[in-house]
Amino acid sequence: MKCAVIMFPGSNCDVDCYHACRDVLGQPTEYVFHKEKFSSVDFDLIVLPGGFSYGDYLRAGAIARFSPAMESVIKAAEAGKLILGICNGFQILLEAKLLPGAMKRNRDLKFHCHDVFLRVENNNTPFTGLYKKGEIIKVPIAHGEGNYFADRDTMEKLKARGGVVFTYCDRDGNVTEEANPNGSVENIAGIVSEQGNVLGMMPHPERCAEDILGNTDGRRVFESILQYVEGSVAHGR
Amino acid sequence: MIINARINVRFKSGVLDPQGTAIKGALKHLGFDGVEDVRVGKLIEIKLDAASKEDAEGQIKDMCEKLLANPVIEDYSFELS
């Protein structure tokens, strides 16, 4: 599986994502600078990492969305390649309209940097195939603008097609207001596109993908992707 | 001709504004009991070289739709001088 990690000015989780793809998964991985373009056949997985691209000026992700590399990302998404946006990467995917909705400042205006519990709402995606539906996992968040918003109509469509992949919950899996760290509608932590090949999530699976980090709950996001891509090759999809 | 544009971007009505809510709480705390709602927006000033006022209006509208506002959560308005 050929992986790419896009580097925007202000990305700060690019090295962690590169490490997760190359060292944890053992797959060939390249950095792509924001000024570079690439072809849709170059990579199987493209990761948009966390950070503060362009200083989060105007709105988080709003300026990064127009970089040359993003033109290639949009084409790759249309060609069915897997796109994983984590944190600022999720914000960029929303601004690029590859996913529906928008992000606002956290409800309490604070930057939240701590572990959260997530419930896997949909395991029938290329990114979550190795989780059980309803499984509760612990993954860290680190963001100031993760307050997901979509209007009622968009939410209904999103839910009807199984677009909600992760929700914030308590340790027992209850999706409650108290377990919602940022005010996201219906505790949304991660969503997938209609075609199923673009996932955006605020929590950081790359920060909990190895034993040495004390938590491996995020590793299966990367392993699920690998299994899906290798399965696709085997089945000639 | 040089046109000065003043663009206001704010949350759509019905979209909860976290900053506005915090400021409302602070104003109430200061004793301004009559404050019923606070909305925080952005003011963007652009100096633009355009062929005409109509041309400037078209360009500013385009800028708002493409970049300056996010139509999912924000409305915009502008005045030219």
Side-chain angles (χ1 to χ4, degrees):
Chain A
M1 178 172 77
K2 292 176 288 179
C3 311
V5 177
I6 313 288
M7 298 169 84
F8 298 99
S11 293
N12 62 11
C13 302
D14 41 349
V15 179
D16 300 30
C17 290
Y18 181 87
H19 175 70
C21 293
R22 193 195 65 173
D23 303 318
V24 177
L25 280 188
Q27 299 303 308
T29 305
E30 283 179 37
Y31 287 118
V32 173
F33 199 48
H34 67 106
K35 287 181 175 168
E36 294 176 72
K37 289 192 184 179
F38 56 89
S39 161
S40 295
V41 297
D42 290 348
F43 304 106
D44 304 299
L45 168 69
I46 299 154
V47 183
L48 306 188
F52 300 87
S53 57
Y54 296 88
D56 273 357
Y57 296 150
L58 195 62
R59 296 178 305 278
I63 299 177
R65 174 250 178 282
F66 289 103
S67 58
M70 276 308 292
E71 285 178 35
S72 301
V73 170
I74 290 167
K75 281 190 188 135
E78 284 163 359
K81 298 295 177 176
L82 299 185
I83 318 287
L84 170 62
I86 301 166
C87 199
N88 189 223
F90 185 9
Q91 295 162 339
I92 296 167
L93 291 175
L94 293 171
E95 283 287 340
K97 298 187 174 63
L98 288 174
L99 291 170
M103 285 296 176
K104 298 191 295 173
R105 294 277 294 276
N106 290 351
R107 177 173 50 184
D108 61 4
L109 303 181
K110 288 181 181 146
F111 189 94
H112 279 253
C113 187
H114 51 77
D115 282 332
V116 293
F117 290 100
L118 302 176
R119 197 166 78 184
V120 181
E121 303 288 352
N122 183 355
N123 67 343
N124 189 22
T125 81
F127 307 90
T128 52
L130 294 174
Y131 292 99
K132 289 195 271 301
K133 187 173 162 65
E135 187 174 344
I136 302 151
I137 57 173
K138 189 171 77 177
V139 182
I141 55 168
H143 62 250
E145 296 187 38
N147 185 349
Y148 179 79
F149 176 84
D151 61 31
R152 195 169 300 169
D153 192 36
T154 307
M155 276 303 298
E156 270 170 27
K157 281 184 198 148
L158 186 67
K159 287 197 289 186
R161 66 171 174 81
V164 179
V165 177
F166 298 111
T167 50
Y168 299 109
C169 65
D170 64 19
R171 63 174 62 240
D172 300 316
N174 303 303
V175 178
T176 62
E177 199 51 38
E178 294 73 45
N180 186 340
N182 50 31
S184 291
V185 287
E186 307 206 18
N187 287 42
I188 282 178
I191 59 173
V192 72
S193 65
E194 198 159 354
Q195 288 71 32
N197 63 317
V198 180
L199 180 92
M201 62 190 294
M202 288 313 291
H204 287 271
E206 80 283 12
R207 294 191 188 180
C208 53
E210 283 173 288
D211 290 324
I212 196 171
L213 300 175
N215 179 4
T216 57
D217 280 2
R219 182 156 70 203
R220 276 176 287 160
V221 169
F222 297 94
E223 290 171 343
S224 297
I225 294 167
L226 179 60
Q227 189 195 51
Y228 177 85
V229 170
E230 290 189 336
S232 300
V233 173
H235 294 105
R237 264 186 281 179
Chain B
M1 63 193 291
I2 297 294
I3 302 268
N4 289 299
R6 287 167 66 85
I7 302 152
N8 273 297
V9 180
R10 64 184 85 76
F11 280 127
K12 286 179 175 173
S13 60
V15 176
L16 186 75
D17 175 358
Q19 288 189 83
T21 307
I23 292 168
K24 178 181 160 189
L27 289 173
K28 291 229 175 214
H29 184 69
L30 288 171
F32 296 102
D33 297 328
V35 176
E36 294 201 353
D37 194 23
V38 178
R39 314 281 291 171
V40 178
K42 291 180 196 133
L43 171 66
I44 301 167
E45 294 182 327
I46 292 180
K47 189 186 265 188
L48 178 69
D49 188 2
S52 64
K53 203 164 175 183
E54 289 68 39
D55 174 38
E57 195 171 317
Q59 286 196 54
I60 295 289
K61 195 159 180 271
D62 211 19
M63 290 179 203
C64 288
E65 311 252 327
K66 279 198 177 128
L67 176 66
L68 302 179
N70 181 341
V72 177
I73 46 173
E74 294 170 328
D75 280 330
Y76 66 87
S77 61
F78 59 84
E79 48 195 68
L80 307 177
S81 59

